Amino acid sequence: MDVQKELKPYVIGLDLGGTNSVFGIVDSRGEIKATTAIKTQVYDNVNEYVKASVEALQAIIDQVGGIDKIKAMGIGAPNGNYYNGTIEFAPNLKWGRDGVVPLADLFSKALGIPVALTNDANAAAIGEMAYGVARGMKNFIVITLGTGVGSGIVVNGQLVYGSDGFAGELGHVVVRTPNGRPCGCGRTGCLEAYCSATGVARTAREFLATRQDESLLRELNPEDITSLDVAIAAGKGDELAKEIFEFTGSLLGEACANFAAFSSPEAFIFFGGLTKAGDLLMKPIIESYQKNVLNIYKGKAKFLVSGLDGSSAAVLGASAVGWDL
Amino acid sequence: MDVQKELKPYVIGLDLGGTNSVFGIVDSRGEIKATTAIKTQVYDNVNEYVKASVEALQAIIDQVGGIDKIKAMGIGAPNGNYYNGTIEFAPNLKWGRDGVVPLADLFSKALGIPVALTNDANAAAIGEMAYGVARGMKNFIVITLGTGVGSGIVVNGQLVYGSDGFAGELGHVVVRTPNGRPCGCGRTGCLEAYCSATGVARTAREFLATRQDESLLRELNPEDITSLDVAIAAGKGDELAKEIFEFTGSLLGEACANFAAFSSPEAFIFFGGLTKAGDLLMKPIIESYQKNVLNIYKGKAKFLVSGLDGSSAAVLGASAVGWDL
């Protein structure tokens, strides 16, 4: 292993997002040696996307001494399936929404190195285990709070992929029944409908419409309110904005209490844009968890915010998938 | 391993219940060679309980050729902790409710063989994997439907014990919010409050109180109705009794849809008294699951009833914990 790492000291990480595809060349300590990016969606099909990626990669590969120095590539991608190395019916990818794209295979053939792929939240969990706050932990859950709510679950030191490679969609656990909020997945009451960035904005519009109290948020067009606006207002002491985060955190705490009954993790680790709200969000999560969790689990789990640098965390997570090969 | 099994071809399984403690000596194919039992609660403390157990065991140990033929002992017990071999604060055990009982150690010292212990639902899951319908499966969930609702979760071929040994309490996942039924655990809306045998009886009382339609169940004193009464009435075609099972199955299907988002199991396996209701329960479970589960999981999981013989399943499950030692 160590000899291997000396001969081939780097892996490529690809954080494949709906807008940008960010590549990094990473060493075994999680240092990003070189980075590049392309736009994800300007290509009509996946072959053109891979071709453009490899062209962009060539410059940074040369920078670290050529492809012989690179052990593998890891990809974090929406709807990524680790077992098959495929992206399956990803609604936000022009060249990936209508079927099964064998992206790991395509990159492996183009670069001549092994390539592994998983979904973005799983990549985040692997990244936390390799370089982040989950180092040394065997049982933990990463919850990503972004446009959607994703999750990566680790049990006995292993990522939970399940029978089909799609386990760990905790954003689509139903937390309000019956008559919960409609969710983008076509069902109602999902955690994601409340606790994603868009869920926070929906809560803001609901609170503003059903209540009369003053708020800085009333100066904005309700349709344009984002979770960032809510965070800024809350940071200025706006009571209604603070209550929006309390509501969001309270639901996340309830949900985590249910997740504890599943895998009793050592820690819940939060990742993504919403975590910038800090204690505004984390305090109600922890309070609600302690209130709602089954007695035997009380006071045991840690609640942590990802320790990985926001801008590079997704690339690091993806690269960690490559180290596992 | 095979040589081991020839020299020591048996394990002892103990199904430790609130009323009876049933012991079996089991071979590697899951055949019960000899069996005995004692009452669990007539002993004032755990030392007397272990002494009485060993006395009862002696006769059947002699029957198979003495303790030298026995590799280990496995125990399935309420609130059993695999990591420590302890029973912790088990409300239904006179000598186990007030603290931490090191039962595995006590039996190990008394018998001179290794002893492992886990909770009863985990033992059932290990039993299904060793001898039952889960043979060859790497990802599945066993749900036990008895006085309570328990669960044993297997991920990547391993039981999920979590950070503290208490993972897999799916009976206490909240399925109705807010304002769900009070549960024995002190919280509200737990799966167990609806889908245990006592939950079914509660549903019967609710239906009888809030509805006017005729039912065979109206001939009974509402307070005395059991899930067995409901099953018998449903078996006779009683519409209200059938609807009680539909309601119960529907909630179980919803819950399983949430569990799929966690570990995407190959199968859900139901175990325990309520499964005797057969299709009356299983059909609504499957229908509700297909209706409620996230699209990517649809049509994938199997829904099975335990293939283990009811009376001996718990002993077999416990013995399988011993084989793992």
Side-chain angles (χ1 to χ4, degrees):
Chain A
M1 185 73 175
D2 284 342
V3 173
Q4 259 280 25
K5 280 191 182 171
E6 268 173 50
L7 293 172
K8 290 180 181 288
Y10 306 116
V11 294
I12 298 169
L14 162 55
D15 167 31
L16 196 165
T19 308
N20 296 308
S21 289
V22 182
F23 301 85
I25 296 185
V26 181
D27 72 14
S28 63
R29 292 177 318 185
E31 226 169 89
I32 297 179
K33 293 298 182 181
T35 182
T36 188
I38 64 170
K39 293 280 167 199
T40 305
Q41 309 251 35
V42 300
Y43 308 97
D44 284 330
N45 63 61
V46 68
N47 292 312
E48 286 175 34
Y49 170 78
V50 172
K51 191 160 166 272
S53 297
V54 172
E55 279 168 20
L57 272 169
Q58 199 54 57
I60 58 169
I61 291 172
D62 290 346
Q63 227 173 296
V64 299
I67 193 75
D68 290 348
K69 297 283 180 197
I70 294 174
K71 178 178 178 274
M73 177 179 186
I75 304 171
N79 293 42
N81 187 308
Y82 178 76
Y83 291 146
N84 314 322
T86 52
I87 293 178
E88 307 192 7
F89 303 95
N92 301 321
L93 294 181
K94 193 164 128 185
W95 45 261
R97 68 169 65 111
D98 297 323
V100 176
V101 176
L103 194 68
D105 260 8
L106 292 172
F107 268 110
S108 183
K109 277 181 194 135
L111 292 168
I113 56 175
V115 179
L117 177 154
T118 191
N119 84 32
D120 26 17
N122 287 341
I126 294 172
E128 292 296 340
M129 195 157 43
Y131 312 119
V133 293
R135 265 175 295 190
M137 289 188 193
K138 296 279 185 207
N139 292 280
F140 65 94
I141 298 178
V142 168
I143 297 175
T144 62
L145 303 170
T147 314
V149 173
S151 66
I153 304 164
V154 171
V155 163
N156 295 335
Q158 298 172 324
L159 228 291
V160 177
Y161 289 115
S163 62
D164 60 352
F166 286 122
E169 286 291 348
L170 299 185
H172 296 285
V173 164
V174 173
V175 293
R176 276 294 170 268
T177 60
N179 307 323
R181 273 188 199 167
C183 179
C185 73
R187 297 143 75 237
T188 61
C190 294
L191 184 62
E192 174 166 304
Y194 296 90
C195 299
S196 59
T198 44
V200 169
R202 280 167 84 174
T203 303
R205 286 191 284 278
E206 261 184 39
F207 278 32
L208 289 168
T210 56
R211 296 166 47 152
Q212 306 302 325
D213 41 340
E214 276 181 44
S215 165
L216 294 168
L217 296 171
R218 294 201 186 277
E219 293 164 16
L220 304 168
N221 177 353
E223 291 312 308
D224 298 336
I225 290 176
T226 66
S227 60
L228 185 61
D229 296 323
V230 182
I232 291 170
K236 289 181 185 163
D238 188 87
E239 285 303 325
L240 189 131
K242 286 200 276 186
E243 281 183 48
I244 292 166
F245 276 108
E246 274 159 30
F247 173 82
T248 308
S250 168
L251 267 177
L252 277 167
E254 268 185 46
C256 288
N258 278 340
F259 304 159
F262 208 101
S263 67
S264 189
E266 179 177 344
F268 293 94
I269 301 167
F270 295 87
F271 184 102
L274 273 189
T275 62
K276 297 206 180 89
D279 276 353
L280 282 173
L281 184 69
M282 295 304 286
K283 264 186 72 175
I285 290 178
I286 295 167
E287 279 170 20
S288 163
Y289 179 82
Q290 299 301 357
K291 197 178 123 201
N292 285 290
V293 80
L294 196 62
N295 262 328
I296 47 168
Y297 304 125
K298 234 166 228 176
K300 288 181 178 172
K302 299 186 194 84
F303 285 80
L304 306 171
V305 171
S306 168
L308 298 176
D309 171 27
S311 58
S312 55
V315 170
L316 283 177
S319 77
V321 181
W323 281 124
D324 280 354
L325 275 169
Chain B
M1 184 72 177
D2 283 342
V3 173
Q4 259 281 25
K5 279 191 182 171
E6 267 172 51
L7 292 173
K8 290 181 181 287
Y10 306 116
V11 293
I12 298 170
L14 162 55
D15 168 30
L16 196 166
T19 308
N20 296 307
S21 288
V22 182
F23 302 84
I25 296 185
V26 181
D27 71 13
S28 63
R29 291 176 318 183
E31 227 170 87
I32 298 179
K33 294 297 182 184
T35 183
T36 188
I38 64 170
K39 293 280 168 201
T40 305
Q41 309 250 36
V42 300
Y43 308 97
D44 284 331
N45 63 60
V46 68
N47 293 311
E48 286 175 35
Y49 169 78
V50 171
K51 190 160 167 274
S53 297
V54 171
E55 279 169 19
L57 271 170
Q58 199 53 58
I60 59 169
I61 291 173
D62 291 345
Q63 227 173 297
V64 300
I67 193 75
D68 290 347
K69 297 284 180 197
I70 294 174
K71 177 178 179 276
M73 177 178 185
I75 303 172
N79 292 40
N81 188 308
Y82 178 76
Y83 291 147
N84 313 324
T86 52
I87 293 178
E88 306 192 10
F89 303 95
N92 300 322
L93 294 180
K94 193 164 127 185
W95 44 260
R97 67 169 65 111
D98 296 322
V100 176
V101 176
L103 194 67
D105 260 8
L106 292 173
F107 269 111
S108 184
K109 275 179 196 137
L111 292 168
I113 56 175
V115 179
L117 177 154
T118 190
N119 84 32
D120 27 16
N122 288 342
I126 294 172
E128 292 296 341
M129 196 156 45
Y131 312 118
V133 293
R135 265 174 295 191
M137 289 187 193
K138 295 279 184 207
N139 293 280
F140 65 95
I141 298 178
V142 168
I143 297 176
T144 62
L145 302 170
T147 314
V149 173
S151 65
I153 304 165
V154 171
V155 163
N156 295 335
Q158 298 172 326
L159 228 292
V160 177
Y161 290 114
S163 62
D164 60 352
F166 287 123
E169 287 290 350
L170 299 186
H172 296 286
V173 164
V174 173
V175 294
R176 277 292 170 271
T177 60
N179 308 323
R181 275 187 198 167
C183 179
C185 72
R187 298 144 74 238
T188 60
C190 293
L191 184 62
E192 175 165 304
Y194 296 90
C195 300
S196 59
T198 43
V200 168
R202 281 168 84 173
T203 303
R205 286 192 284 279
E206 261 185 38
F207 277 32
L208 289 168
T210 56
R211 296 166 46 153
Q212 305 303 325
D213 41 340
E214 278 183 39
S215 166
L216 294 168
L217 296 171
R218 294 202 185 276
E219 294 164 15
L220 304 168
N221 177 353
E223 291 312 307
D224 298 335
I225 290 177
T226 66
S227 60
L228 185 62
D229 296 323
V230 182
I232 290 169
K236 290 181 183 162
D238 188 86
E239 284 304 323
L240 189 129
K242 286 200 276 185
E243 280 182 49
I244 292 166
F245 276 108
E246 274 160 30
F247 174 82
T248 308
S250 168
L251 266 176
L252 277 167
E254 267 184 46
C256 289
N258 278 340
F259 304 159
F262 208 100
S263 68
S264 189
E266 180 178 343
F268 293 94
I269 300 168
F270 295 87
F271 184 102
L274 273 189
T275 62
K276 297 205 181 91
D279 276 352
L280 283 172
L281 183 69
M282 295 304 286
K283 265 187 73 176
I285 290 177
I286 296 167
E287 279 171 19
S288 164
Y289 179 82
Q290 299 301 357
K291 198 179 123 199
N292 285 291
V293 79
L294 195 63
N295 262 328
I296 47 167
Y297 305 125
K298 235 166 227 172
K300 288 180 177 173
K302 299 187 194 86
F303 285 80
L304 306 171
V305 172
S306 167
L308 298 176
D309 172 27
S311 59
S312 54
V315 170
L316 283 178
S319 76
V321 181
W323 281 123
D324 279 355
L325 274 169

